[in-house]
Amino acid sequence: MKHLILTILLSVPTISASAQVPQVTTDTRFARGATMAFGRLSNVSTNGGPTIKNRGFCLSEEPNPTVSDVVSTKMLSNNGIIYYFVDLKPATKYYMRAYVTNNDNVTGYGDVIKFYTLPKGAITYSYNNGGSAEENERINNALTQACDIFCNLTSIKKHFNVGYGSGTPTADCNYQDTPWMNVGPNASYQRTGTIMHEMQHGLGVIPYSTQWHGDILRSGNGTGQWLGDRVSEFLDFWDNATGSRLNGDNQHMWPYGINGASEDNGTLKLYYANAMIGQALGEDGLEHTYSTYADPYYSFNQEETVKYYIKNESKDRGLYTSYLKPTDTGMLRWVTMTAAEAAQNDSAAWYITFTPDNQYYQIRNASTGQYLTYSSGIKTLSKTTLTANENWHLMKGRVDVDGQRGYWIIHPQSGWDPKCLQANVNGITTAATFNISNSAEAQRWLILTTEEIQAAETNAMAQLKKQTEDALKLVKELAAVPHTENVAGTDDALAAAISDIETRLAAATTVTEMTLLATEAETAGTNFLKGVTPTDTPFDLTYMLVNPTIDESSDGWNGSPAISYGCGEFYQTTFDFNQTVKGLPAGTYAFTAQAFQRPGPYSSAANVAVNATIYAGSKSKKLLHIKEGSQSKKLGIGREQTMNGNFIPDDMQSASAYFNKGYYENRVVSAVAVQGGSLKVGILSSSMPSSYWAIFDSFHLYYYGSKTIDEVTAIRETEAGERNVDNQMYDLQGRRVSNPSKGLYIINGRKVVIR
């Protein structure tokens, strides 16, 4: 027996103490389909040992796969090497990681990626074989390959009726539950790429589908970018890039849209990308059929033995202070408690499992063992056999919340209006109609581990302290603006409030205290404004606008313009770009923006009146005509054209440059009648015919207290250097002024304040 043991030990390969293990880093990005998976490796190093002779990916259904498990060296080249597996089991949990082996047969491994393959798709077709034998063979081969790729890379289920169309120049496909596709006699379009392109139309890439045509997941109804993360994540991986966006118009998408025979290079790299983009579009929310709202997928990376804590994304619904827990009757409430209290209270803890076959999650309370269930509402119930009522689609949000992403907790239903868990006021929750917009934060929930809730609380304390300090700084700046008291003692009351908040801020130790102080600081500023009126310059309340600069997105505004160069534009598209500012003191306001409209092509727009308006409440004013900011000399940035002998901007880059010079400032004056009132502000046009262009940037909101609208309208606020240099400036004694200091002046018969 001793000799046998010795023989076995001698047969086990060993690595000498001096052997150098090569190093490899697995790119954390990956892609997966139903029977395929893709990965990248990076930072390969010999680590001082022999040359690398082998590299690839290994895969297993168990953690920590090795080269003794399934190995793949299959490669695609696309800005580096993509390794991929085929013939995987659908709806299965796998682990994969990169490996490299050197000439001494020593292998090093990268980090492990856990993923689930999708349920296998069912894209099928029936073809009427209406062409010639040669044409039918080409078309059938293309249909077969396209269906095979979609089935192996997506979970989409759809049947296509296909007909030969002798009068069809290329090919076309409509969007309905069972789409009809026509393929014409042009042999260049009787190929796999064309078929996949047309299938994408049948899957919603067409203006008749809600989200492709809408302004939530795609910027604008014409040409714009897809705003869903799943598509961008795939493109980042596939192209080895960062910040990728899918572009599209009413009929096409790019890259990988295969928008014509010239784009069909016949490569699997192209075809695979097209199919996986189709899957990712559905996971983001594009409805592949009329009866679906989004494709479920493994969105939240859970472990079955880990306790998770759920809190609402909205600050008004307990983001910093509260956790989701059931009552004794199973109803769901968001309840105030600290992270430490939650970690010691299993009724605030949840176990989450995932079912690969349908891509849905199940959520079970750690204390009661009851499952989150949809039954005439959303609550917890004791269940011995799980049904469809215990399935939940965790759809990931698109907005960062303190470095985390929230999830819609959706009960899967047909149609675009499933029910989801929503936090209401006073700790109440309800089953609300799903709202996919970014603004629906009360419907999204952060799902955090014990360590994450503790870190979130620490982060919340720091953020709330800074929020309070910023609010106090802002209030002090408001108080420094020259003003008169409408209500005696307003200044003294503000000073006392600031002193009290600063003292308590230094001693605060809980999130609840910090939240209260942040609110009190903001309230102190509002109360101050209620009792004063500025004398020379107005109070700048631009901080009350959400995203006034629209530098990177239109978040906070209703309407989805194209965004570039820090500007927003609408082209040949009617619009109402607005937001409502709430909690305002009563009084008079000026809303300003740098903006213009070009009413038609630059060659003929000079004598056409604009129809776009800037508005605040019930007051509105025509937007400036593009010619009103024309210049005698080119700025030399972007594309410019001539109008009436002067230069005007002709693209977003040049418009931004003109705005940066201070041109095209629009202003409308309105009033809020009641304390704590609201004011809807924005820019709109109900008619944008061919070549009509409206572009805008840099919104501001100013407060004039008890001054009347007529008084404010008579005074033109401006910053030094923002006036039109071709006009003359005079002081109040009628003397011409070349280099004005701060004060009141006259330009073109109007009073102007230089600040």
Side-chain angles (χ1 to χ4, degrees):
M1 178 62 72
K2 292 182 179 178
H3 294 296
L4 177 58
I5 294 173
L6 180 59
T7 302
I8 293 173
L9 290 174
L10 289 175
S11 67
V12 176
T14 60
I15 300 176
S16 70
S18 61
Q20 296 298 308
V21 179
Q23 294 179 340
V24 58
T25 302
T26 307
D27 194 324
T28 57
R29 303 172 298 179
F30 69 97
R32 52 69 182 118
T35 67
M36 303 179 70
F38 303 80
R40 288 181 181 270
L41 55 82
S42 58
N43 300 325
V44 176
S45 168
T46 62
N47 198 26
T51 303
I52 303 297
K53 72 171 183 179
N54 223 338
R55 66 188 72 195
F57 268 73
C58 52
L59 173 142
S60 173
E61 292 183 47
E62 299 298 328
N64 301 316
T66 71
V67 291
S68 298
D69 297 305
V70 178
V71 170
S72 179
T73 57
K74 289 179 177 293
M75 295 183 294
L76 294 171
S77 178
N78 192 36
N79 293 327
I81 300 301
I82 298 172
Y83 293 86
Y84 66 99
F85 294 90
V86 298
D87 299 327
L88 302 181
K89 292 188 292 186
T92 301
K93 179 167 66 175
Y94 282 105
Y95 300 87
M96 70 176 179
R97 58 178 171 176
Y99 76 89
V100 292
T101 303
N102 65 22
N103 281 328
D104 279 351
N105 292 317
V106 178
T107 300
Y109 295 97
D111 294 330
V112 175
I113 293 172
K114 182 182 80 172
F115 69 95
Y116 285 86
T117 50
L118 298 167
K120 192 168 184 179
I123 299 289
T124 58
Y125 76 93
S126 55
Y127 173 52
N128 68 3
N129 289 294
S132 66
E134 184 180 358
E135 289 173 320
N136 291 337
E137 182 179 7
R138 276 197 301 268
I139 293 170
N140 274 299
N141 287 341
L143 284 162
T144 299
Q145 186 181 24
C147 287
D148 182 67
I149 291 171
F150 271 109
C151 288
N152 284 291
L153 285 172
T154 79
S155 61
I156 304 168
K157 294 175 171 56
K158 199 153 192 176
H159 182 79
F160 289 81
N161 288 320
V162 184
Y164 180 83
S166 59
T168 302
T170 55
D172 58 57
C173 185
N174 61 18
Y175 172 69
Q176 54 189 28
D177 283 342
T178 304
W180 180 268
M181 183 190 307
N182 292 303
V183 182
N186 188 330
S188 298
Y189 290 87
Q190 297 170 350
R191 301 176 62 197
T192 301
T194 295
I195 298 301
M196 296 187 72
H197 171 92
E198 299 305 333
M199 284 181 169
Q200 293 285 9
H201 287 323
L203 297 174
V205 182
I206 201 164
Y208 307 114
S209 59
T210 304
Q211 296 308 321
W212 190 261
H213 185 61
D215 58 5
I216 294 176
L217 288 177
R218 203 166 71 85
S219 59
N221 291 327
T223 300
Q225 294 182 325
W226 183 259
L227 304 177
D229 280 350
R230 291 295 294 155
V231 171
S232 292
E233 288 167 1
F234 169 75
L235 288 173
D236 277 351
F237 164 75
W238 202 249
D239 292 341
N240 199 15
T242 57
S244 302
R245 287 291 189 191
L246 182 74
N247 296 286
D249 56 25
N250 282 339
Q251 298 291 337
H252 306 97
M253 65 180 187
W254 60 91
Y256 305 112
I258 321 179
N259 305 303
S262 62
E263 295 187 14
D264 187 358
N265 59 21
T267 64
L268 290 177
K269 177 178 69 177
L270 174 64
Y271 297 164
Y272 289 169
N274 181 274
M276 285 188 281
I277 287 171
Q279 174 71 27
L281 285 168
E283 292 170 357
D284 278 331
L286 181 69
E287 65 279 29
H288 290 317
T289 69
Y290 293 124
S291 60
T292 60
Y293 63 92
D295 292 345
Y297 69 102
Y298 187 66
S299 56
F300 174 67
N301 190 16
Q302 49 70 244
E303 294 293 342
E304 294 185 4
T305 59
V306 172
K307 292 178 182 178
Y308 295 97
Y309 301 83
I310 301 175
K311 50 173 47 224
N312 194 257
E313 190 177 294
S314 169
K315 293 178 182 177
D316 296 332
R317 306 288 193 269
L319 169 63
Y320 294 139
T321 60
S322 303
Y323 295 86
L324 185 72
K325 64 184 293 289
T327 65
D328 292 340
T329 60
M331 304 305 292
L332 295 169
R333 298 287 185 268
W334 50 276
V335 178
T336 300
M337 59 179 71
T338 66
E341 290 169 340
Q344 296 299 316
N345 188 342
D346 269 357
S347 65
W350 304 84
Y351 291 111
I352 299 177
T353 55
F354 180 73
T355 301
D357 288 344
N358 58 24
Q359 303 284 288
Y360 293 132
Y361 292 83
Q362 299 77 43
I363 304 173
R364 177 171 57 91
N365 187 259
S367 175
T368 66
Q370 294 183 344
Y371 283 87
L372 195 66
T373 301
Y374 184 82
S375 178
S376 301
I378 301 176
K379 53 191 175 185
T380 60
L381 289 175
S382 295
K383 304 288 290 189
T384 55
T385 302
L386 300 186
T387 68
N389 287 339
E390 286 71 60
N391 287 334
W392 298 97
H393 179 178
L394 297 185
M395 187 174 183
K396 195 173 185 179
R398 301 178 299 278
V399 179
D400 280 329
V401 181
D402 298 341
Q404 301 281 350
R405 289 290 179 95
Y407 295 81
W408 282 275
I409 302 176
I410 307 169
H411 173 59
Q413 293 171 275
S414 297
W416 191 250
D417 56 353
K419 297 299 182 181
C420 66
L421 183 64
Q422 175 176 293
N424 286 356
V425 296
N426 300 323
I428 304 297
T429 68
T430 189
T433 300
F434 169 58
N435 178 358
I436 198 173
S437 68
N438 288 344
S439 61
E441 56 184 13
Q443 292 188 359
R444 292 191 296 271
W445 301 82
L446 299 178
I447 305 174
L448 308 173
T449 64
T450 304
E451 294 76 15
E452 287 171 339
I453 63 172
Q454 293 168 343
E457 185 165 280
T458 300
N459 183 52
M461 288 284 289
Q463 286 204 41
L464 288 167
K465 181 178 181 181
K466 185 178 186 305
Q467 181 181 331
T468 304
E469 291 171 342
D470 289 347
L472 289 173
K473 179 183 177 183
L474 188 61
V475 169
K476 292 175 182 178
E477 290 174 352
L478 291 174
V481 174
H483 61 272
T484 58
E485 289 186 341
N486 301 332
V487 178
T490 297
D491 287 337
D492 290 341
L494 178 63
I498 291 173
S499 177
D500 177 60
I501 292 169
E502 288 178 334
T503 299
R504 290 158 56 206
L505 181 63
T509 58
T510 69
V511 170
T512 301
E513 290 176 292
M514 287 289 191
T515 302
L516 183 63
L517 290 171
T519 301
E520 287 185 17
E522 294 168 358
T523 301
T526 302
N527 289 339
F528 166 74
L529 291 171
K530 290 177 181 178
V532 296
T533 291
T535 52
D536 296 326
T537 60
F539 295 111
D540 189 346
L541 302 192
T542 302
Y543 68 88
M544 298 189 74
L545 294 173
V546 179
N547 188 18
T549 60
I550 57 172
D551 285 338
E552 297 179 354
S553 74
S554 58
D555 288 351
W557 297 84
N558 297 307
S560 295
I563 302 290
S564 189
Y565 295 99
C567 305
E569 71 168 12
F570 289 95
Y571 181 68
Q572 299 181 162
T573 302
T574 59
F575 64 93
D576 184 354
F577 186 71
N578 68 78
Q579 67 174 270
T580 299
V581 189
K582 299 179 180 180
L584 292 170
T588 301
Y589 291 83
F591 174 60
T592 71
Q594 287 183 284
F596 63 77
Q597 184 183 39
R598 188 190 67 201
Y602 71 88
S603 58
S604 59
N607 298 317
V608 180
V610 300
N611 59 36
T613 59
I614 181 173
Y615 67 91
S618 61
K619 302 296 183 180
S620 63
K621 188 176 181 180
K622 291 289 186 183
L623 215 60
L624 288 176
H625 194 291
I626 190 171
K627 67 182 178 183
E628 295 181 70
S630 62
Q631 300 298 307
S632 59
K633 294 182 179 180
K634 270 189 174 184
L635 295 191
I637 301 174
R639 188 175 64 239
E640 296 172 88
Q641 301 290 350
T642 57
M643 179 177 287
N644 294 342
N646 283 341
F647 293 97
I648 57 169
D650 193 44
D651 63 7
M652 297 188 79
Q653 183 181 14
S654 58
S656 176
Y658 276 64
F659 291 158
N660 289 337
K661 288 288 187 179
Y663 307 132
Y664 296 111
E665 184 178 335
N666 299 258
R667 178 174 180 259
V668 61
V669 179
S670 189
V672 173
V674 297
Q675 299 292 1
S678 61
L679 187 67
K680 184 178 180 181
V681 296
I683 295 176
L684 68 81
S685 176
S686 57
S687 177
M688 290 281 286
S690 177
S691 297
Y692 272 52
W693 178 36
I695 187 167
F696 41 81
D697 186 21
S698 194
F699 295 94
H700 288 86
L701 184 67
Y702 300 103
Y703 178 57
Y704 291 84
S706 61
K707 291 181 180 178
T708 67
I709 290 179
D710 288 342
E711 288 178 295
V712 173
T713 303
I715 301 177
R716 173 74 171 93
E717 266 60 60
T718 187
E719 297 285 351
E722 286 188 357
R723 62 190 176 87
N724 188 329
V725 295
D726 293 331
N727 295 332
Q728 302 300 325
M729 179 176 286
Y730 299 88
D731 64 18
L732 297 183
Q733 287 72 45
R735 295 171 297 196
R736 181 175 172 181
V737 179
S738 299
N739 297 299
S741 57
K742 293 182 179 180
L744 190 61
Y745 299 89
I746 305 295
I747 298 179
N748 293 337
R750 297 176 64 87
K751 293 180 181 178
V752 174
V753 174
I754 298 296
R755 328 188 231 113

